[in-house]
Amino acid sequence: MHSNVHDWLNEHGDYLYRFALARLKDTHQAEDAVQETMLAAIKHNSFAGDSSVRTWLTGILKHKVVDMQRKLIREQPISDIIDLDAGEESMDDFFDKTGHWLDKPQSFDMPDHALEQSQFLSVLDACMQKLPKKLKAIFMLRDVHEMENENICKELDITPTNAWVMLYRARMVLRKCLEMNWVKG
């Protein structure tokens, strides 16, 4: 069994690391996620051959990534949400007193060409890095991992209203950041 894990790590380790890094955006967390994936594979030895080893390991890794994001959200101080702007524009700068846009966001399409898409994803990643950790994590759980709101609320022990507000703030900050930094050629 242990030689299989060594083979799995040699064959799939780089892929699993890139998968985790793309979602966690932290090299240490990505390494930990891959290590925990391999430990779970050894401990549970549940590979039934119904799929490829890579698919099976990736399935385990997805759960490890979500668990790490949940932990991040739980450990993040509430001040990161309340003090969202930290000296930058506040959400009030986007809306009038009635809640309507002061300067309506531009609509933009996902780039069709590979180079444009790569550049867009780089800008999106940079914008994601500007989000407070808790907002980034809940955005990832809902909009990337497509976890249902009800499950997010149960896992994070937050109300549906809190989840909605957090997602709304994350999406608005990302949208404004993309508008300011993504110049479609």
Side-chain angles (χ1 to χ4, degrees):
M1 175 62 191
H2 293 293
S3 65
N4 282 348
V5 172
H6 186 265
D7 293 341
W8 292 342
L9 188 57
N10 284 337
E11 188 173 341
H12 307 293
D14 288 342
Y15 169 81
L16 295 172
Y17 175 76
R18 287 190 309 271
F19 182 93
L21 186 60
R23 285 147 183 83
L24 295 168
K25 308 295 185 199
D26 181 278
T27 57
H28 298 296
Q29 285 184 341
E31 290 168 359
D32 289 347
V34 172
Q35 184 177 20
E36 288 181 25
T37 297
M38 290 301 169
L39 290 173
I42 293 169
K43 183 177 180 181
H44 299 293
N45 193 16
S46 62
F47 181 64
D50 296 335
S51 61
S52 72
V53 171
R54 179 173 286 188
T55 301
W56 175 63
L57 291 171
T58 303
I60 295 170
L61 180 59
K62 284 180 182 179
H63 290 285
K64 298 298 178 188
V65 166
V66 169
D67 289 345
M68 290 178 128
Q69 290 173 328
R70 286 179 189 143
K71 183 179 177 193
L72 174 69
I73 288 173
R74 286 190 178 128
E75 292 177 351
Q76 195 67 24
I78 193 70
S79 61
D80 282 359
I81 296 175
I82 295 169
D83 188 21
L84 174 65
D85 307 303
E88 295 181 16
E89 293 181 48
S90 76
M91 293 305 292
D92 293 337
D93 294 339
F94 299 137
F95 305 99
D96 65 20
K97 291 178 183 177
T98 64
H100 293 92
W101 286 102
L102 290 172
D103 182 18
K104 190 175 179 181
Q106 304 169 6
S107 61
F108 49 86
D109 299 319
M110 189 67 174
D112 293 329
H113 300 89
L115 177 60
E116 285 181 347
Q117 186 172 5
S118 173
Q119 292 168 342
F120 174 81
L121 292 174
S122 293
V123 172
L124 176 61
D125 183 55
C127 290
M128 289 285 294
Q129 296 307 315
K130 293 178 182 178
L131 283 176
K133 289 181 182 180
K134 193 165 188 173
L135 293 182
K136 180 170 77 171
I138 198 167
F139 177 83
M140 293 291 290
L141 288 173
R142 178 66 184 115
D143 290 338
V144 175
H145 297 296
E146 298 179 343
M147 183 182 279
E148 294 294 324
N149 284 339
E150 182 178 334
N151 294 335
I152 291 172
C153 292
K154 285 179 185 174
E155 288 295 325
L156 304 178
D157 194 27
I158 59 176
T159 66
T161 301
N162 287 347
W164 184 87
V165 168
M166 291 168 66
L167 284 169
Y168 176 80
R169 287 181 175 173
R171 289 170 178 160
M172 289 300 102
V173 170
L174 285 173
R175 184 175 187 166
K176 193 67 172 174
C177 181
L178 286 171
E179 286 178 359
M180 292 174 13
N181 296 291
W182 172 244
V183 180
K184 190 172 170 185

